[in-house]
């Protein structure tokens, strides 16, 4: 059956009712031979057997479209399996997440958020305590914890050994733990 299609005012083209790709006998025999095995693979990728059949059909359609570009038809199983996995991944990424309104919130009421003013007070007290440290200890604490450098990087910046950084930072943290202005924090 053909259907006339008008492409311009003066030209009428007859559109054929065949698919845009030629039929491949080798593809048909491949699907007949390997279909059950591929269906098992598709079932391992989905929970629903009907979804597995749809997944396999989609992967086989993609394979059919590329059939003439596949050089080694002995390795088609790998191609189809990759198409199955890629198609399933695409479906998973596109899945719709439904949200439902409900009377009660599903999340338990957690601890209240800390007051930003209290957080700022703590930050200021900590910085004042760091500023009371001796210069060398303060430099090491700032580089280690505020600049997030490793012990080796801190030692390199200050031109001292790693052991010196470890011991000086340990003493500085001890002083900070004993600071009376920070005692309510513990």
């Amino acid at each position: 059956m053909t259907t006339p299609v008008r492409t311009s005012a003066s030209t009428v083209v007859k559109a054929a009712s065949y698919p845009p790709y030629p039929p491949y006998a080798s593809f048909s025999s491949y699907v007949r031979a390997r279909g059950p095995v591929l269906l098992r693979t598709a079932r391992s990728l989905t929970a629903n057997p009907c979804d597995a059949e749809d997944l396999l059909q989609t992967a086989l359609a993609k394979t059919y479209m590329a059939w003439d570009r596949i050089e080694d038809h002995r390795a088609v199983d790998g191609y189809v399996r990759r198409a199955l996995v890629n198609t399933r991944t695409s479906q998973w990424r596109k899945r719709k997440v439904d949200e439902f309104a409900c009377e009660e919130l599903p999340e338990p009421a957690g601890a209240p958020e800390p007051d930003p003013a209290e957080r700022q007070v703590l930050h200021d007290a900590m910085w004042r305590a760091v500023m009371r440290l001796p210069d060398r200890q303060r430099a090491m604490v700032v580089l280690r914890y505020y600049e997030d450098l490793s012990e080796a990087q801190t030692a390199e910046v200050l031109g001292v050994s790693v052991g010196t950084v470890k011991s000086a930072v340990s003493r500085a943290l001890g002083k900070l733990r004993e600071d009376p202005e920070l005692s309510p924090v513990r």
Side-chain angles (χ1 to χ4, degrees), residues 88-98:
R88 180 66 184 133
T89 303
S90 296
Q91 291 172 349
W92 177 79
R93 286 181 180 155
K94 292 177 186 177
R95 76 182 190 280
K96 182 180 176 185
V97 177
D98 293 326

Side-chain angles (χ1 to χ4, degrees), residues 10-185:
S10 62
T11 309
V12 174
V13 178
K14 299 222 178 205
S17 62
Y18 57 87
Y21 290 89
Y24 296 110
S26 58
F27 179 79
S28 299
S29 63
Y30 168 76
V31 171
R32 275 192 298 281
R34 301 297 294 164
V37 174
L38 295 172
L39 184 58
R40 278 196 305 270
T41 303
R43 283 188 178 153
S44 70
L45 294 172
T46 62
N48 186 343
C50 295
D51 290 342
E53 291 174 3
D54 291 343
L55 176 64
L56 179 59
Q57 288 299 317
T58 304
L60 288 174
K62 290 179 180 181
T63 305
Y64 181 78
M65 301 290 264
W67 191 253
D68 58 341
R69 293 191 314 261
I70 299 174
E71 294 175 10
D72 185 9
H73 283 219
R74 293 173 298 186
V76 173
D77 276 357
Y79 185 93
V80 175
R81 284 192 180 100
R82 176 52 46 195
L84 283 167
V85 171
N86 290 347
T87 303
R88 180 66 184 133
T89 303
S90 296
Q91 291 172 349
W92 177 79
R93 286 181 180 155
K94 292 177 186 177
R95 76 182 190 280
K96 182 180 176 185
V97 177
D98 293 326
E99 293 182 16
F100 301 100
C102 60
E103 295 288 326
E104 298 175 21
L105 292 176
E107 297 88 16
E113 288 291 320
D115 184 15
E118 290 178 14
R119 193 177 335 168
Q120 186 62 42
V121 167
L122 176 62
H123 180 270
D124 292 343
M126 186 64 168
W127 191 247
R128 283 192 302 274
V130 168
M131 294 303 291
R132 285 192 292 273
L133 292 172
D135 292 342
R136 187 173 178 178
Q137 288 180 357
R138 181 175 57 241
M140 291 183 191
V141 166
V142 167
L143 290 173
R144 276 291 285 131
Y145 298 105
Y146 284 93
E147 296 294 324
D148 201 26
L149 295 181
S150 69
E151 290 167 343
Q153 292 169 328
T154 302
E156 184 180 333
V157 167
L158 296 176
V160 296
S161 70
V162 175
T164 303
V165 171
K166 288 180 180 181
S167 63
V169 168
S170 176
R171 284 191 304 275
L173 292 177
K175 287 181 182 180
L176 291 174
R177 283 187 202 100
E178 299 301 320
D179 192 296
E181 195 175 340
L182 298 177
S183 62
V185 176

